[in-house]
Amino acid sequence: MPKYTQIFTQVLQLLNWKLFDSIVNKYEGDRGAKGISCRSLLATMIFACLARSDSLKPTVKTLETIGGSLPNLGIERVPSRSNLGYCLAHRPSEIFREFFEAYASTLSKKLYGKHKPNRLKRKVFSIDSTVIPLCLSLFDWAKFHHRKWAAKAHTLLDHDGLIPSVVQVTAGCEHDAPVFERMLDDLAWKLLSGSIVLMDRGYVCFDRFRKMSDMKLIFVTRLKKNMVYEVKEEYRHPDVDGLVSDQNVFFHNQDGKECSELRLVTAKVLVRGKETDMRFLTNSFTLAASTVVLLYKARWEVENLFKSLKQNIEIESFMGTTQNAVEIQVYASMISMLLLKEFKEVSDSNRRELKLKSLGFSCFVTALRPNLFRSIPLDIWLQKPFAPPDDAESHGQLSLFPPGILGQQTVQQCKISP
């Protein structure tokens, strides 16, 4: 029988390690390193994410049980707990952030056009943040509320494949709007002209709207209740289900002067079993009103991403207390998420060819976790992740108990006395 490497080794081989090494050299990440390298650190953190290892000791002890297979996994040697903690605190987190963004850009091109509302040819992004609770006494840099400490992961979701494209980690007290303002300056290369950005009411600001319009970006958001506007023109759309109104409106600042001209679409939306009027703002006067409503509905995919991250990948338990350690673990979790997304797409395409129903994301990750160290070709496992191992995979493994002992014991235990 031909021998194959373990599934986890095949997972790591799909990463562009040449690009990762160039980024490490750029930031001099391995300069003066006496412990594990940045490559070993990334492989260790990906393993911790996929195996849901939530602290230093379980991660190190699990790697010790693997023993001689570590070089095949891209890990030079088993790090000690103090060594791993020191690396998390001092290795530049920019290495992992830049590698994550490069991998996300490559994967977005592979998944172009998938999961996009109305099959739009434009790039569609959603921006939002999620709160990661932290311990008040340990994470002194992550102030959130009076008695709560937390970090925030500000995430830009790419709807080509529903993958996280850009992530910034800040203290929980930082508001979403100014962080997105800084992200706009850094994302001119990613947010191409004509791209659509979906955001909730926390990002509403007329100066930001003007800046996005200057960048030739289209935004879709919701109207705040206290915003004052004047209707300039109303468009009529006969026979459009659920559409209440489509208007061209002017907004006024505190001095009563006109400050912005936008489009206001009002539609009936089903919320918790009840029809509710929702008002949507956009700077595009060419998109169909129904498309504007569907675009904002698609913004909920970023919330589904946060739910998947917290349910399937260990992103709420951290192995270090510094901001650098938290950032490295968040970026490693995002890289793991991209790997799982890529495998999920391959698995779905293979199952469609076999006329099988595609798996849910949580079900797929649950199937992968106990098979990380199984020696089988990855493409074969992706076709049938729940198939039992063949007899050839046992390699002549002998039984721990002599034949018949377990059966005799079971019979004796099941006998009922008269």
Side-chain angles (χ1 to χ4, degrees):
M1 169 188 169
K3 292 184 178 181
Y4 301 100
T5 56
Q6 297 163 336
I7 287 181
F8 183 64
T9 304
Q10 298 174 66
V11 168
L12 294 180
Q13 288 173 352
L14 296 178
L15 295 175
N16 190 348
W17 290 109
K18 183 180 291 186
L19 174 62
F20 182 77
D21 292 338
S22 65
I23 297 174
V24 171
N25 294 333
K26 174 183 174 182
Y27 291 96
E28 298 182 344
D30 288 336
R31 182 180 179 183
K34 296 181 180 179
I36 60 175
S37 62
C38 289
R39 179 187 285 213
S40 296
L41 178 60
L42 178 59
T44 302
M45 297 312 299
I46 292 176
F47 166 75
C49 292
L50 297 181
R52 298 207 71 170
S53 181
D54 58 355
S55 62
L56 293 173
K57 187 173 181 179
T59 303
V60 172
K61 292 298 182 182
T62 305
L63 291 177
E64 287 178 353
T65 62
I66 299 171
S69 300
L70 286 179
N72 296 330
L73 303 181
I75 303 173
E76 300 159 354
R77 61 181 180 84
V78 179
S80 63
R81 281 181 287 173
S82 59
N83 192 359
L84 184 57
Y86 181 87
C87 291
L88 288 171
H90 295 88
R91 298 295 168 88
S93 61
E94 291 82 3
I95 296 173
F96 305 90
R97 175 186 57 80
E98 191 168 325
F99 182 67
F100 154 70
E101 292 178 358
Y103 183 26
S105 180
T106 303
L107 186 57
S108 174
K109 295 175 182 176
K110 292 182 181 179
L111 304 178
Y112 179 77
K114 295 188 177 182
H115 309 288
K116 196 180 290 185
N118 275 15
R119 298 190 178 275
L120 292 170
K121 294 183 179 180
R122 303 172 184 267
K123 292 287 290 184
V124 181
F125 298 93
S126 294
I127 180 70
D128 207 347
S129 66
T130 184
V131 175
I132 306 173
L134 299 174
C135 178
L136 185 148
S137 60
L138 296 177
F139 300 84
D140 55 352
W141 55 272
K143 187 176 181 180
F144 184 38
H145 285 314
H146 179 62
R147 293 183 179 180
K148 292 183 180 180
W149 257 235
K152 267 188 181 180
H154 305 266
T155 305
L156 186 71
L157 177 74
D158 190 344
H159 283 260
D160 284 328
L162 300 178
I163 58 174
S165 181
V166 177
V167 177
Q168 282 197 10
V169 182
T170 65
C173 60
E174 289 204 40
H175 195 270
D176 297 350
V179 175
F180 180 54
E181 190 102 21
R182 297 196 299 267
M183 291 174 70
L184 279 177
D185 297 331
D186 300 334
L187 293 177
W189 61 276
K190 183 177 286 290
L191 298 175
L192 303 178
S193 175
S195 298
I196 301 175
V197 181
L198 314 176
M199 49 192 180
D200 61 14
R201 287 178 288 189
Y203 297 91
V204 171
C205 175
F206 290 112
D207 291 337
R208 195 168 303 108
F209 290 165
R210 195 175 298 110
K211 183 176 182 178
M212 295 178 71
S213 298
D214 293 340
M215 296 173 65
K216 297 182 179 180
L217 299 176
I218 297 173
F219 61 83
V220 177
T221 185
R222 284 184 61 191
L223 183 75
K224 285 186 174 181
K225 294 181 180 180
N226 60 350
M227 296 177 71
V228 180
Y229 61 89
E230 178 184 349
V231 179
K232 178 184 178 183
E233 185 179 358
E234 184 158 355
Y235 308 105
R236 298 192 177 276
H237 303 280
D239 301 330
V240 178
D241 293 337
L243 182 64
V244 177
S245 64
D246 187 1
Q247 301 168 326
N248 183 358
V249 297
F250 280 107
F251 288 88
H252 302 273
N253 57 16
Q254 294 179 351
D255 299 329
K257 297 180 180 180
E258 295 179 355
C259 62
S260 186
E261 179 183 1
L262 296 172
R263 181 183 177 190
L264 179 63
V265 177
T266 307
K268 289 188 178 297
V269 180
L270 196 64
V271 180
R272 297 176 182 175
K274 296 182 180 180
E275 279 194 347
T276 306
D277 287 352
M278 283 193 179
R279 295 178 290 180
F280 306 96
L281 277 179
T282 180
N283 60 341
S284 172
F285 294 88
T286 58
L287 291 174
S290 58
T291 303
V292 173
V293 178
L294 288 175
L295 280 170
Y296 191 82
K297 182 180 179 181
R299 191 202 69 84
W300 193 255
E301 294 294 345
V302 71
E303 306 290 350
N304 292 335
L305 172 71
F306 295 147
K307 178 182 176 182
S308 297
L309 272 170
K310 293 180 178 180
Q311 282 185 346
N312 302 295
I313 297 179
E314 201 60 49
I315 197 175
E316 292 187 312
S317 299
F318 294 97
M319 302 183 190
T321 59
T322 64
Q323 184 172 357
N324 191 80
V326 171
E327 289 178 355
I328 289 178
Q329 191 161 346
V330 168
Y331 292 133
S333 301
M334 293 296 177
I335 293 171
S336 304
M337 190 72 174
L338 294 181
L339 285 168
L340 293 172
K341 287 280 187 180
E342 186 172 4
F343 298 153
K344 178 69 166 54
E345 289 294 335
V346 175
S347 176
D348 289 348
S349 62
N350 291 341
R351 292 177 71 85
R352 280 193 295 268
E353 292 177 0
L354 298 173
K355 297 182 179 180
L356 297 174
K357 186 178 179 181
S358 61
L359 298 173
F361 185 76
S362 296
C363 187
F364 176 78
V365 177
T366 304
L368 175 64
R369 191 167 289 123
N371 289 282
L372 284 175
F373 299 108
R374 183 178 169 188
S375 298
I376 184 176
L378 185 59
D379 55 346
I380 294 178
W381 182 85
L382 288 174
Q383 289 181 2
K384 297 181 179 180
F386 288 103
D390 298 332
D391 294 336
E393 290 186 46
S394 62
H395 304 289
Q397 179 71 38
L398 298 177
S399 175
L400 182 62
F401 301 98
I405 287 186
L406 291 179
Q408 292 174 4
Q409 291 179 352
T410 306
V411 172
Q412 291 175 1
Q413 292 173 359
C414 294
K415 285 184 178 180
I416 303 176
S417 58

Short mmCIF file of all heavy atoms in Angstrom, two decimals, residues 311-347:
data_model
loop_
_atom_site.label_atom_id
_atom_site.label_comp_id
_atom_site.label_asym_id
_atom_site.label_seq_id
_atom_site.Cartn_x
_atom_site.Cartn_y
_atom_site.Cartn_z
N GLN A 311 -17.54 29.62 17.06
CA GLN A 311 -18.03 28.27 17.31
C GLN A 311 -17.01 27.20 16.93
O GLN A 311 -16.92 26.17 17.59
CB GLN A 311 -19.32 28.03 16.52
CG GLN A 311 -20.55 28.66 17.13
CD GLN A 311 -21.81 28.29 16.39
OE1 GLN A 311 -21.76 27.79 15.27
NE2 GLN A 311 -22.96 28.53 16.99
N ASN A 312 -16.27 27.42 15.85
CA ASN A 312 -15.44 26.35 15.28
C ASN A 312 -13.94 26.54 15.45
O ASN A 312 -13.18 25.59 15.31
CB ASN A 312 -15.74 26.21 13.78
CG ASN A 312 -17.19 25.91 13.51
OD1 ASN A 312 -17.70 24.87 13.89
ND2 ASN A 312 -17.87 26.85 12.87
N ILE A 313 -13.49 27.75 15.74
CA ILE A 313 -12.05 28.02 15.88
C ILE A 313 -11.83 28.71 17.21
O ILE A 313 -12.61 29.58 17.61
CB ILE A 313 -11.53 28.89 14.71
CG1 ILE A 313 -11.70 28.12 13.40
CG2 ILE A 313 -10.08 29.26 14.91
CD1 ILE A 313 -11.25 28.88 12.18
N GLU A 314 -10.76 28.36 17.88
CA GLU A 314 -10.48 28.89 19.21
C GLU A 314 -9.98 30.33 19.08
O GLU A 314 -8.80 30.58 18.88
CB GLU A 314 -9.43 28.03 19.91
CG GLU A 314 -9.45 28.16 21.41
CD GLU A 314 -10.78 27.76 22.01
OE1 GLU A 314 -11.29 26.69 21.68
OE2 GLU A 314 -11.31 28.55 22.81
N ILE A 315 -10.91 31.30 19.18
CA ILE A 315 -10.54 32.70 19.02
C ILE A 315 -10.85 33.51 20.28
O ILE A 315 -10.57 34.70 20.33
CB ILE A 315 -11.25 33.31 17.80
CG1 ILE A 315 -10.58 34.61 17.36
CG2 ILE A 315 -12.73 33.51 18.08
CD1 ILE A 315 -11.14 35.21 16.11
N GLU A 316 -11.42 32.89 21.29
CA GLU A 316 -11.78 33.62 22.51
C GLU A 316 -10.91 33.24 23.70
O GLU A 316 -11.08 33.79 24.77
CB GLU A 316 -13.26 33.39 22.84
CG GLU A 316 -14.21 34.03 21.83
CD GLU A 316 -15.65 33.92 22.26
OE1 GLU A 316 -16.06 32.82 22.64
OE2 GLU A 316 -16.37 34.94 22.20
N SER A 317 -10.01 32.26 23.52
CA SER A 317 -9.06 31.89 24.59
C SER A 317 -7.66 32.13 24.05
O SER A 317 -7.29 31.57 23.02
CB SER A 317 -9.24 30.41 24.98
OG SER A 317 -10.54 30.18 25.48
N PHE A 318 -6.90 32.95 24.76
CA PHE A 318 -5.60 33.39 24.24
C PHE A 318 -4.47 32.84 25.09
O PHE A 318 -4.59 32.67 26.30
CB PHE A 318 -5.54 34.91 24.20
CG PHE A 318 -6.51 35.51 23.22
CD1 PHE A 318 -7.75 35.96 23.64
CD2 PHE A 318 -6.20 35.59 21.87
CE1 PHE A 318 -8.66 36.50 22.74
CE2 PHE A 318 -7.08 36.12 20.96
CZ PHE A 318 -8.31 36.57 21.39
N MET A 319 -3.33 32.58 24.41
CA MET A 319 -2.16 32.01 25.06
C MET A 319 -1.18 33.07 25.55
O MET A 319 -0.16 32.74 26.14
CB MET A 319 -1.43 31.07 24.08
CG MET A 319 -2.30 29.96 23.56
SD MET A 319 -1.38 28.86 22.48
CE MET A 319 -2.72 27.87 21.80
N GLY A 320 -1.46 34.33 25.26
CA GLY A 320 -0.63 35.43 25.73
C GLY A 320 -1.50 36.60 26.13
O GLY A 320 -2.66 36.70 25.70
N THR A 321 -0.98 37.50 26.92
CA THR A 321 -1.77 38.62 27.43
C THR A 321 -1.44 39.94 26.77
O THR A 321 -2.17 40.91 26.95
CB THR A 321 -1.56 38.76 28.95
OG1 THR A 321 -0.16 38.98 29.22
CG2 THR A 321 -2.03 37.51 29.68
N THR A 322 -0.36 40.03 25.99
CA THR A 322 -0.02 41.28 25.33
C THR A 322 -0.86 41.46 24.07
O THR A 322 -1.43 40.50 23.54
CB THR A 322 1.47 41.30 24.96
OG1 THR A 322 1.73 40.27 23.99
CG2 THR A 322 2.35 41.08 26.19
N GLN A 323 -0.91 42.70 23.59
CA GLN A 323 -1.67 42.97 22.37
C GLN A 323 -1.06 42.25 21.18
O GLN A 323 -1.77 41.76 20.30
CB GLN A 323 -1.74 44.48 22.10
CG GLN A 323 -2.59 44.84 20.90
CD GLN A 323 -2.82 46.32 20.74
OE1 GLN A 323 -2.38 47.12 21.57
NE2 GLN A 323 -3.51 46.73 19.69
N ASN A 324 0.26 42.15 21.14
CA ASN A 324 0.93 41.46 20.04
C ASN A 324 0.55 39.98 20.01
O ASN A 324 0.29 39.41 18.93
CB ASN A 324 2.45 41.60 20.20
CG ASN A 324 3.20 41.13 18.97
OD1 ASN A 324 3.31 41.85 17.98
ND2 ASN A 324 3.74 39.92 19.03
N ALA A 325 0.48 39.33 21.19
CA ALA A 325 0.10 37.92 21.25
C ALA A 325 -1.33 37.71 20.79
O ALA A 325 -1.63 36.75 20.07
CB ALA A 325 0.29 37.39 22.67
N VAL A 326 -2.22 38.61 21.20
CA VAL A 326 -3.62 38.50 20.78
C VAL A 326 -3.74 38.68 19.27
O VAL A 326 -4.47 37.94 18.59
CB VAL A 326 -4.49 39.54 21.52
CG1 VAL A 326 -5.90 39.59 20.95
CG2 VAL A 326 -4.53 39.22 23.01
N GLU A 327 -3.00 39.64 18.71
CA GLU A 327 -3.06 39.87 17.26
C GLU A 327 -2.55 38.65 16.49
O GLU A 327 -3.16 38.25 15.49
CB GLU A 327 -2.24 41.11 16.90
CG GLU A 327 -2.88 42.41 17.35
CD GLU A 327 -2.01 43.62 17.02
OE1 GLU A 327 -0.87 43.41 16.52
OE2 GLU A 327 -2.45 44.75 17.27
N ILE A 328 -1.44 38.05 16.94
CA ILE A 328 -0.91 36.87 16.24
C ILE A 328 -1.93 35.74 16.26
O ILE A 328 -2.16 35.08 15.23
CB ILE A 328 0.42 36.42 16.89
CG1 ILE A 328 1.53 37.41 16.57
CG2 ILE A 328 0.81 35.02 16.39
CD1 ILE A 328 2.87 37.08 17.21
N GLN A 329 -2.57 35.51 17.40
CA GLN A 329 -3.53 34.41 17.48
C GLN A 329 -4.77 34.70 16.63
O GLN A 329 -5.34 33.79 16.02
CB GLN A 329 -3.92 34.16 18.93
CG GLN A 329 -4.70 32.86 19.12
CD GLN A 329 -4.68 32.36 20.54
OE1 GLN A 329 -3.89 32.82 21.36
NE2 GLN A 329 -5.56 31.43 20.85
N VAL A 330 -5.21 35.97 16.56
CA VAL A 330 -6.36 36.32 15.73
C VAL A 330 -6.04 36.11 14.26
O VAL A 330 -6.83 35.53 13.50
CB VAL A 330 -6.80 37.78 15.99
CG1 VAL A 330 -7.80 38.23 14.93
CG2 VAL A 330 -7.42 37.91 17.37
N TYR A 331 -4.83 36.53 13.83
CA TYR A 331 -4.46 36.36 12.41
C TYR A 331 -4.27 34.88 12.07
O TYR A 331 -4.63 34.44 10.98
CB TYR A 331 -3.20 37.15 12.10
CG TYR A 331 -3.40 38.65 12.16
CD1 TYR A 331 -2.51 39.47 12.84
CD2 TYR A 331 -4.51 39.23 11.57
CE1 TYR A 331 -2.70 40.84 12.91
CE2 TYR A 331 -4.71 40.60 11.64
CZ TYR A 331 -3.81 41.40 12.31
OH TYR A 331 -4.02 42.75 12.38
N ALA A 332 -3.72 34.10 13.02
CA ALA A 332 -3.60 32.65 12.79
C ALA A 332 -4.98 32.01 12.68
O ALA A 332 -5.19 31.10 11.87
CB ALA A 332 -2.81 32.01 13.92
N SER A 333 -5.93 32.49 13.48
CA SER A 333 -7.31 31.98 13.38
C SER A 333 -7.92 32.32 12.04
O SER A 333 -8.64 31.50 11.43
CB SER A 333 -8.16 32.56 14.51
OG SER A 333 -7.63 32.22 15.78
N MET A 334 -7.64 33.53 11.54
CA MET A 334 -8.17 33.92 10.24
C MET A 334 -7.55 33.10 9.10
O MET A 334 -8.23 32.73 8.14
CB MET A 334 -7.93 35.42 10.01
CG MET A 334 -8.72 36.32 10.93
SD MET A 334 -10.50 36.17 10.68
CE MET A 334 -11.13 37.26 11.96
N ILE A 335 -6.24 32.82 9.20
CA ILE A 335 -5.60 31.97 8.19
C ILE A 335 -6.21 30.57 8.23
O ILE A 335 -6.46 29.96 7.18
CB ILE A 335 -4.08 31.93 8.44
CG1 ILE A 335 -3.46 33.30 8.18
CG2 ILE A 335 -3.41 30.89 7.54
CD1 ILE A 335 -2.01 33.42 8.60
N SER A 336 -6.46 30.05 9.42
CA SER A 336 -7.11 28.75 9.55
C SER A 336 -8.51 28.78 8.93
O SER A 336 -8.94 27.83 8.28
CB SER A 336 -7.20 28.33 11.02
OG SER A 336 -5.93 28.33 11.63
N MET A 337 -9.21 29.90 9.13
CA MET A 337 -10.54 30.04 8.55
C MET A 337 -10.48 30.02 7.03
O MET A 337 -11.31 29.40 6.36
CB MET A 337 -11.17 31.35 9.04
CG MET A 337 -12.62 31.52 8.70
SD MET A 337 -13.63 30.41 9.71
CE MET A 337 -15.27 30.92 9.24
N LEU A 338 -9.48 30.68 6.45
CA LEU A 338 -9.32 30.68 4.99
C LEU A 338 -9.03 29.28 4.47
O LEU A 338 -9.57 28.86 3.43
CB LEU A 338 -8.20 31.64 4.59
CG LEU A 338 -8.43 33.13 4.86
CD1 LEU A 338 -7.23 33.93 4.38
CD2 LEU A 338 -9.70 33.63 4.19
N LEU A 339 -8.17 28.53 5.18
CA LEU A 339 -7.89 27.15 4.79
C LEU A 339 -9.16 26.30 4.80
O LEU A 339 -9.43 25.54 3.86
CB LEU A 339 -6.85 26.54 5.73
CG LEU A 339 -5.39 26.98 5.54
CD1 LEU A 339 -4.55 26.53 6.72
CD2 LEU A 339 -4.83 26.44 4.24
N LEU A 340 -9.95 26.46 5.86
CA LEU A 340 -11.18 25.68 5.95
C LEU A 340 -12.17 26.07 4.87
O LEU A 340 -12.88 25.22 4.31
CB LEU A 340 -11.81 25.87 7.34
CG LEU A 340 -11.02 25.29 8.52
CD1 LEU A 340 -11.64 25.72 9.84
CD2 LEU A 340 -10.95 23.78 8.43
N LYS A 341 -12.25 27.38 4.55
CA LYS A 341 -13.14 27.83 3.49
C LYS A 341 -12.73 27.23 2.14
O LYS A 341 -13.59 26.81 1.35
CB LYS A 341 -13.11 29.36 3.40
CG LYS A 341 -13.83 30.08 4.53
CD LYS A 341 -15.34 30.10 4.29
CE LYS A 341 -16.04 30.96 5.32
NZ LYS A 341 -17.50 31.00 5.09
N GLU A 342 -11.42 27.20 1.88
CA GLU A 342 -10.94 26.63 0.62
C GLU A 342 -11.26 25.14 0.54
O GLU A 342 -11.73 24.65 -0.50
CB GLU A 342 -9.44 26.87 0.48
CG GLU A 342 -8.88 26.44 -0.86
CD GLU A 342 -7.43 26.84 -1.04
OE1 GLU A 342 -6.83 27.40 -0.10
OE2 GLU A 342 -6.89 26.60 -2.14
N PHE A 343 -11.01 24.40 1.62
CA PHE A 343 -11.32 22.97 1.63
C PHE A 343 -12.82 22.72 1.49
O PHE A 343 -13.25 21.79 0.83
CB PHE A 343 -10.82 22.32 2.92
CG PHE A 343 -9.33 22.41 3.09
CD1 PHE A 343 -8.77 22.41 4.35
CD2 PHE A 343 -8.50 22.52 1.99
CE1 PHE A 343 -7.41 22.51 4.51
CE2 PHE A 343 -7.13 22.62 2.15
CZ PHE A 343 -6.58 22.61 3.40
N LYS A 344 -13.62 23.58 2.12
CA LYS A 344 -15.07 23.43 2.05
C LYS A 344 -15.56 23.58 0.61
O LYS A 344 -16.43 22.83 0.15
CB LYS A 344 -15.72 24.46 2.96
CG LYS A 344 -17.25 24.46 2.95
CD LYS A 344 -17.81 23.23 3.60
CE LYS A 344 -19.29 23.38 3.88
NZ LYS A 344 -20.10 23.77 2.74
N GLU A 345 -15.01 24.55 -0.13
CA GLU A 345 -15.41 24.74 -1.52
C GLU A 345 -15.01 23.54 -2.37
O GLU A 345 -15.78 23.08 -3.24
CB GLU A 345 -14.77 26.02 -2.08
CG GLU A 345 -15.33 27.31 -1.52
CD GLU A 345 -16.78 27.53 -1.89
OE1 GLU A 345 -17.23 27.00 -2.92
OE2 GLU A 345 -17.49 28.23 -1.14
N VAL A 346 -13.81 22.98 -2.14
CA VAL A 346 -13.38 21.79 -2.88
C VAL A 346 -14.27 20.61 -2.55
O VAL A 346 -14.69 19.85 -3.44
CB VAL A 346 -11.90 21.47 -2.57
CG1 VAL A 346 -11.48 20.16 -3.23
CG2 VAL A 346 -11.00 22.60 -3.03
N SER A 347 -14.59 20.45 -1.25
CA SER A 347 -15.46 19.35 -0.85
C SER A 347 -16.84 19.48 -1.47
O SER A 347 -17.42 18.49 -1.94
CB SER A 347 -15.56 19.32 0.68
OG SER A 347 -16.47 18.33 1.11
#
